[in-house]
Amino acid sequence: NMFLHDMDSARVERGDTIINPLLIKNNNLLKFDIVVANPPFSLKKWGHDEVAGDKDEYGRFHRGDPPRSRGDYAFLTHMIETINEHGRIGVVVPHGILFRGGGEGKIRTKILDENLLDTVVSLPSNLFFGTGIPAAILIFKKNRQHDDVLFIDASQDFEKGKNQNKLLDEHLNKIYETYKNREFVDKYAYVAKLEEIQENEYNLNIPRYVDTFEPEVEVDIATVQQEIEDIEAELITVRKEMAAYLQELSL
């Protein structure tokens, strides 16, 4: 994929990121300015028995061990440990890691308390090959100057395709401008302080922060009643006319 995008000068390693990372120097993980990834969603066999706990020589799981049957936080914590003091991460994840409890909830709590999470972007469903479930983009940053999290609900902005939905330039630009401005946008974006997230028990489920509720249109009972009466009166007239026609036709 990198070669196809003219990144032929890159160092490419084929291996197991979790069990046997290959981007190593002096037996330490290499550090990067930017890490971008789309790891497999909720991988069942990610290497828990091989590297969980003290068995990981790189200390990636000091916030806690990801569940044995879901590897989302294994990849996430690996990425966090591979950015430098000014590093950034952009990663595509399933929505479940935003709110699941247990071991994942404990890791998420520590990541938030470390003020590493910067932005959560909800994406439309059926956007990626191989899965129809909706996904999200998480942006992490080191040395942030603020302690809030920007939530963007972009799940309704897409072009519907026959087999797969698509984000157009206008949708991408809207996400980018909202991310850049970092301001409240009605039914689209919300900036939550850490205290508010803590009050929500570190649950990052986007509907908790971005209110997309559309109130139902109020019904004017008197107007509806009048419309019903008008229809009934019209129906009586039509029936009388129909009876007259049938009589003329001797039916």
Side-chain angles (χ1 to χ4, degrees):
N1 196 16
M2 295 177 74
F3 293 147
L4 290 173
H5 289 82
D6 297 325
M7 301 177 70
D8 51 7
S9 63
R11 172 185 169 184
V12 179
E13 298 284 359
R14 181 180 183 274
D16 190 314
T17 303
I18 304 301
I19 296 177
N20 184 33
L22 298 177
L23 299 178
I24 303 293
K25 184 177 181 180
N26 297 327
N27 206 37
N28 292 310
L29 296 171
L30 287 174
K31 304 289 186 179
F32 301 95
D33 297 311
I34 298 173
V35 174
V36 181
N38 181 9
F41 287 1
S42 301
L43 189 65
K44 292 186 180 299
K45 295 182 179 180
W46 57 270
H48 179 278
D49 294 341
E50 290 84 353
V51 296
D54 296 335
K55 289 181 284 186
D56 178 36
E57 60 181 303
Y58 305 108
R60 291 169 292 178
F61 308 122
H62 57 86
R63 299 175 186 87
D65 290 333
R68 176 176 274 99
S69 60
R70 281 196 294 263
D72 300 305
Y73 273 96
F75 290 101
L76 200 57
T77 51
H78 170 86
M79 286 182 269
I80 290 174
E81 297 305 315
T82 60
I83 54 174
N84 59 30
E85 63 273 16
H86 303 293
R88 293 172 289 164
I89 298 170
V91 56
V92 179
V93 298
H95 275 251
I97 78 165
L98 301 176
F99 52 80
R100 290 193 297 246
E104 291 182 313
K106 293 177 181 177
I107 298 171
R108 184 173 61 247
T109 295
K110 292 184 178 180
I111 290 174
L112 285 162
D113 284 341
E114 290 175 45
N115 197 26
L116 293 170
L117 181 61
D118 184 80
T119 304
V120 180
V121 182
S122 176
L123 298 174
S125 60
N126 200 29
L127 199 63
F128 297 97
F129 291 109
T131 179
I133 66 172
I137 296 175
L138 302 185
I139 305 295
F140 296 89
K141 291 182 179 180
K142 285 280 188 74
N143 288 327
R144 297 201 312 140
Q145 302 304 309
H146 43 80
D147 64 348
D148 53 30
V149 177
L150 171 64
F151 291 87
I152 300 176
D153 186 350
S155 61
Q156 302 305 310
D157 293 342
F158 61 92
E159 180 182 68
K160 189 171 182 59
K162 183 178 180 181
N163 299 315
Q164 194 170 15
N165 296 327
K166 184 178 182 181
L167 291 179
L168 303 180
D169 287 344
E170 61 191 77
H171 305 137
L172 296 172
N173 289 335
K174 183 178 179 182
I175 293 172
Y176 173 70
E177 289 299 322
T178 305
Y179 171 76
K180 185 173 66 173
N181 294 332
R182 205 174 184 83
E183 295 176 348
F184 171 79
V185 179
D186 188 36
K187 302 187 185 308
Y188 188 76
Y190 181 82
V191 181
K193 299 292 288 184
L194 179 58
E195 291 82 358
E196 183 176 354
I197 296 173
Q198 290 170 334
E199 290 173 2
N200 280 318
E201 298 179 336
Y202 294 89
N203 189 318
L204 299 176
N205 199 17
I206 294 176
R208 285 178 175 255
Y209 304 96
V210 181
D211 182 8
T212 58
F213 176 74
E214 293 286 353
E216 295 183 5
V217 178
E218 292 187 8
V219 178
D220 188 330
I221 300 299
T223 301
V224 173
Q225 182 64 35
Q226 185 60 52
E227 291 176 352
I228 293 173
E229 292 175 359
D230 292 344
I231 292 172
E232 289 176 340
E234 185 178 353
L235 182 59
I236 292 173
T237 301
V238 170
R239 284 175 173 168
K240 287 180 178 179
E241 293 176 352
M242 182 65 72
Y245 292 145
L246 293 175
Q247 188 175 6
E248 289 179 9
L249 294 171
S250 300
L251 297 174

